[in-house]
Amino acid sequence: ALGVVHDQHEIAGRGSVKFLDYYSVNGGLTWNLGTNMWHKANVGIGYDDGYLGAGASANFTPTSWGWGLNFKLNGPDGQLAF
C-alpha cells in the first residue's frame, strides 16, 4: 500500500448486542501482531425502530481519538425519507 514501508500484520474483531427491542451496543478492536499492541478500538450505541435511527460512536488509536453521531429517517416503506 502507498505510504506503508513495512508489512502490517493485524487481526480485527467486532461485535454487536441488541437489547430493549430497538437498542444496540457495538465495539471493535484491531490488534497489531507485529508489535503485540492494540492498533484501533471503537465503541458505539444505537437506536433503530425501522423509522428512526440514531447513534453515537467513538474511536481510538494509541495517539488519537474521535467521535461521531448518525441520524436517519425512514418512510412507511422502509426506505430513507430523504
Side-chain angles (χ1 to χ4, degrees):
L2 290 175
V4 177
V5 273
H6 300 289
D7 288 340
Q8 292 181 313
H9 302 284
E10 300 172 346
I11 190 167
R14 63 182 173 183
S16 179
V17 176
K18 291 190 177 281
F19 65 98
L20 297 177
D21 292 331
Y22 304 120
Y23 294 89
S24 64
V25 293
N26 60 69
L29 181 69
T30 302
W31 191 265
N32 186 324
L33 298 171
T35 61
N36 200 29
M37 290 179 54
W38 69 281
H39 181 65
K40 291 183 253 181
N42 60 56
V43 64
I45 188 165
Y47 173 88
D48 190 347
D49 63 9
Y51 298 103
L52 170 67
S57 62
N59 56 68
F60 307 92
T61 71
T63 58
S64 67
W65 62 274
W67 60 274
L69 301 172
N70 64 57
F71 178 78
K72 70 176 184 173
L73 286 173
N74 290 339
D77 59 357
Q79 299 298 317
L80 285 177
F82 51 90

